Amino acid sequence: MNATKNMAAGLAGAIVLNLLHEGAKKFYAKAPRVDRVGEEAISKSLKSINIDPPTGKTLFGITLATDLLSNAAFYSMVGSGKEENILWRGAGFGLAAGVGALTLTKPLGLNDEPVNKSVQTQILTVTWYLIGGLAAAVVARGISDKPKFQKLVNSLASF
């Protein structure tokens, strides 16, 4: 059950994070554009192995799916360890991911402007990853505290 709980919690954190990213970019010009960083990373990776990268909605869809999967895998680690520390772990993982989003783009050869264009953008980037980590922690704790929910998750996992 632990692995299933952790995966469900990680997916919840990733969904919350992506909803924040996708929703805010439509309404706020200084919103972080992690999607642009992801699209650049996918395009450069494919070009490095002589594959023409997709463009437009196809590239966006691949980027979104990749982002959800990678963030879900990362946030799934929040549920490991002592239950009483889970919120602190969620905050720690979220802060680490947010700071990483700000500081790793350039060393990875990517344009960091989409996440570093202003102080507000930087604050939102870190805050949203923090919220994703906390969402993963809350879901992991909720699953652990509810035997009926555990049964549901177990039955879904058996498919």
Side-chain angles (χ1 to χ4, degrees):
M1 170 56 197
N2 230 2
T4 305
K5 173 192 81 168
N6 293 346
M7 289 173 19
L11 183 59
I15 289 170
V16 167
L17 172 64
N18 279 279
L19 287 173
L20 287 168
H21 281 303
E22 292 304 310
K25 76 180 187 185
K26 296 177 192 295
F27 303 106
Y28 186 56
K30 292 182 181 178
R33 294 300 307 265
V34 176
D35 57 318
R36 290 185 180 157
V37 175
E39 287 176 354
E40 181 185 6
I42 289 171
S43 293
K44 282 185 171 184
S45 296
L46 291 173
K47 285 178 184 176
S48 75
I49 56 173
N50 297 318
I51 296 175
D52 289 331
T55 59
K57 290 182 180 182
T58 303
L59 179 58
F60 173 77
I62 291 169
T63 302
L64 184 61
T66 302
D67 197 41
L68 279 168
L69 289 173
S70 62
N71 284 312
F74 180 75
Y75 285 139
S76 72
M77 295 184 285
V78 169
S80 300
K82 293 181 181 178
E83 187 74 24
E84 63 267 16
N85 297 329
I86 198 162
L87 290 175
W88 286 111
R89 258 193 325 281
F93 274 82
L95 287 172
V99 170
L102 297 180
T103 60
L104 293 176
T105 47
K106 271 194 177 177
L108 292 172
L110 302 171
N111 178 10
D112 74 335
E113 190 269 338
V115 292
N116 281 302
K117 63 183 154 196
S118 71
V119 172
Q120 291 100 338
T121 305
Q122 294 170 334
I123 291 169
L124 289 173
T125 299
V126 174
T127 300
W128 291 344
Y129 279 96
L130 170 63
I131 291 169
L134 290 172
V138 167
V139 169
R141 177 181 273 175
I143 292 171
S144 296
D145 291 344
K146 295 182 175 62
K148 287 183 182 180
F149 194 74
Q150 285 182 353
K151 281 186 177 180
L152 173 64
V153 171
N154 286 337
S155 65
L156 290 173
S158 66
F159 279 105

